[in-house]
Amino acid sequence: MMRTNDEILGQFEAALSQMQTPEEPELLYAPIIYSMAGGGKRLRPVLLLIANEAFGGNIDKAMPAALAVEVFHNFTLLHDDIMDNADVRRGKPSVFAKWGENVAILSGDAMLITAYKMLTALDAERLPRVLHIFNDMALEVCEGQQYDMDFESMTVVTVEDYIQMIERKTSALLSGSAMIGATLAGASDDDIKKLYRFATELGLAFQLQDDVLDSFGDEALGKKIGGDILEGKQTYLMVQAMNRASEVEREVLRTTHKNEALSDAEKIATIKALYEKLDVKRAAEQQIELRFERALAVLNTLSIAGERTVRLQEFARNLMGRKK
Amino acid sequence: MMRTNDEILGQFEAALSQMQTPEEPELLYAPIIYSMAGGGKRLRPVLLLIANEAFGGNIDKAMPAALAVEVFHNFTLLHDDIMDNADVRRGKPSVFAKWGENVAILSGDAMLITAYKMLTALDAERLPRVLHIFNDMALEVCEGQQYDMDFESMTVVTVEDYIQMIERKTSALLSGSAMIGATLAGASDDDIKKLYRFATELGLAFQLQDDVLDSFGDEALGKKIGGDILEGKQTYLMVQAMNRASEVEREVLRTTHKNEALSDAEKIATIKALYEKLDVKRAAEQQIELRFERALAVLNTLSIAGERTVRLQEFARNLMGRKK
């Protein structure tokens, strides 16, 4: 019997709780413990372990890599919070807000090194390939963050550039995790390449859905609407809208978030009205469907028996908040 | 014939000039190229390659590790400059000053990952051990930097704590480099352990000498004197002086650097007079001799023929600015 995804998550959390961190210097290591204990959905390690199991891998042997990708992910959040000047992370003070910038920089560095330290517990035979995938993934995440920061000062971003940015910033860590899990199970190059495509498309669908929900989500579900609009952030909706807008509309899209004459609610309403008019919500939803369907379709082309891909399908649906 | 240390440096610089870095995103990779081209003495990669050659290793096979330690070293400088608010590095604007903090954080992260990327070019057979040494070394450097920052807000630091801090901040990267070089040449565990001691003692001697020269160096040699004193930095001299001082003298040691009634020259003269009175310069010089002699003595205990250790001796003398 294959483990359910919840069982896999449970085993990951158990392994994480065993993770040893030195006690001193306290200001170096306490923020690492704080970050890792901060929760989160553990999407990347779970995907890694599901991919590993789909190809008949041993969960215990893959666990160090699962820990490594989760530590890496939390490292990126820690440093991103400095760059974004973000005080809150998962409902608690960010490391940056709690300990200050220098501690956040240095403990983040120690966290990145700790991720690599986890990898040394893998079988020596698989280590070079995993390290290779891990490094490429890690650099892509940095590239994605840099493009995202670059976009802040750009007026018009092309849809292609935006997609390439989120392929790095969001998809790379998912696709790297899936590839590492499969690599550790001895999957073929062809299957590994397919998992890369599965997770890349899924990551895009997930990020685009996140963009849409930020403007059109259900406030009744406790989701705060309009954060991206108020920050003047480049999102799929904004990028598409700017590309479709008239010169006058562009000016509105560009300046509304800093218009001091408007309340927050008015700013959000103004931009959403333009999004509706320019039909960009529907464009985004079409992209989401396309990417999600592509991701699921890739699973059917894997060399393993169909029933072995069930957990990957469940993971994908669950990530997108869908029952089926 | 063994290569001279200058020949080794030449080969390292040639390899470094071949290092490939992506062009985009420019703000991620240009700071890496800028840092690596900024010069420096390349002490760590040269030590790695000398240790490798002493044990009969192949310089080309060790080169990726030499590049990795140099990239890592420059990464630490890049992030340290943010934490220390340092505008100048090797006579040029620091990355932090030139591109700002966010770029310095993120390109530093990419640099750390790039160091690991270099390591993947090593023979798979040696990779796990090298990675292990590299990770421990990298974490120790972070620990050293954190202790150094901790000391800034402490009044009295013990000599033992100070030594432990520089063992991490300065020695770890030298000892890690020497160990990696020897490991790649297939040296025995016993010899590797001895090289660790050699480089640890040498690093301590080097850092303590740096501390002494900052207060008692020769201005005629172009060295600017008193920087540590004006910053109120914890150095071996200050730590020893605080431990030997009376309550009244401690107050002077503690407060002079922020005494607005004094000129810089007066501040420096005040502290140096106390250093002389408390005889801490001589204490430092004794420590330097002790550590340096210990380092050289370790070389005589290696299992290889004496003539194979000549370049390591030369490296040590050269580092300390000594003819013999």
Side-chain angles (χ1 to χ4, degrees), chain A residues 26-29 31 78-79 81-83 94-111, chain B residues 75-76 78-86 96 101 105 109 142 145-150 152 169:
Chain A
E26 201 197 330
L27 288 177
L28 189 66
Y29 292 114
L78 214 160
H79 276 191
D81 284 345
I82 312 171
M83 293 182 253
S94 64
V95 168
F96 161 67
K98 191 173 162 80
W99 280 283
E101 185 182 302
N102 284 359
V103 164
I105 292 173
L106 193 62
S107 64
D109 293 344
M111 215 158 159
Chain B
F75 144 74
T76 64
L78 213 159
H79 275 191
D80 283 1
D81 284 346
I82 312 172
M83 292 181 253
D84 301 340
N85 214 352
F96 161 68
E101 184 181 303
I105 292 173
D109 293 345
C142 292
Q145 169 71 2
Q146 184 60 53
Y147 281 122
D148 199 16
M149 295 196 297
D150 288 347
E152 282 173 26
K169 190 164 167 163

Side-chain angles (χ1 to χ4, degrees), chain A residues 61-300:
Chain A
K61 288 193 167 194
M63 197 57 84
L67 290 166
V69 298
E70 184 65 7
V71 171
F72 178 81
H73 171 60
N74 280 276
F75 144 75
T76 64
L77 301 181
L78 214 160
H79 276 191
D80 284 2
D81 284 345
I82 312 171
M83 293 182 253
D84 301 341
N85 215 349
D87 289 339
V88 178
R89 168 66 61 188
R90 296 173 184 142
K92 292 196 297 180
S94 64
V95 168
F96 161 67
K98 191 173 162 80
W99 280 283
E101 185 182 302
N102 284 359
V103 164
I105 292 173
L106 193 62
S107 64
D109 293 344
M111 215 158 159
L112 175 51
I113 297 162
T114 300
Y116 282 100
K117 209 172 152 79
M118 301 282 149
L119 293 181
T120 59
L122 295 174
D123 281 352
E125 184 199 355
R126 306 276 191 212
L127 179 60
R129 268 198 76 185
V130 170
L131 194 59
H132 191 83
I133 299 169
F134 194 94
N135 289 332
D136 285 350
M137 166 188 95
L139 274 179
E140 282 192 36
V141 173
C142 291
E143 291 175 1
Q145 171 69 2
Q146 184 60 53
Y147 282 122
D148 201 14
M149 295 196 297
D150 288 347
F151 290 174
E152 282 173 26
S153 56
M154 287 164 64
T155 309
V156 181
V157 174
T158 69
V159 174
E160 289 69 29
D161 284 347
Y162 183 76
I163 295 286
Q164 283 190 24
M165 182 276 284
I166 60 177
E167 264 186 31
R168 289 174 167 84
K169 190 165 166 162
T170 305
S171 289
L173 205 39
L174 289 168
S175 60
S177 297
M179 289 163 79
I180 290 171
T183 298
L184 288 169
S188 70
D189 286 352
D190 189 54
D191 279 334
I192 292 169
K193 219 174 282 175
K194 285 171 179 166
L195 276 181
Y196 165 81
R197 283 176 41 218
F198 160 72
T200 300
E201 298 290 349
L202 181 63
L204 289 174
F206 175 61
Q207 184 59 54
L208 296 180
Q209 178 163 288
D210 200 60
D211 284 3
V212 171
L213 289 177
D214 194 85
S215 294
F216 295 98
D218 191 346
E219 292 221 301
L221 294 176
K223 173 96 186 146
K224 195 154 181 315
I225 299 300
D228 291 343
I229 293 173
L230 296 176
E231 282 176 44
K233 223 173 151 329
Q234 300 283 12
T235 64
Y236 187 83
L237 299 170
M238 179 57 79
V239 165
Q240 270 290 12
M242 284 296 283
N243 280 283
R244 293 178 176 193
S246 67
E247 204 42 62
V248 176
E249 288 164 340
R250 280 192 181 194
E251 192 57 26
V252 176
L253 288 166
R254 191 154 49 204
T255 59
T256 297
H257 73 281
K258 39 187 184 186
N259 183 343
E260 293 179 4
L262 299 178
S263 70
D264 282 357
E266 285 166 337
K267 290 177 187 175
I268 295 169
T270 304
I271 298 293
K272 281 176 72 171
L274 266 175
Y275 285 170
E276 300 279 7
K277 184 180 172 208
L278 296 166
D279 210 14
V280 295
K281 186 187 172 203
R282 207 170 51 136
E285 284 168 347
Q286 282 170 350
Q287 270 294 314
I288 293 165
E289 280 316 299
L290 175 74
R291 302 293 183 169
F292 184 60
E293 290 307 322
R294 273 196 203 159
L296 290 182
V298 172
L299 292 181
N300 296 327

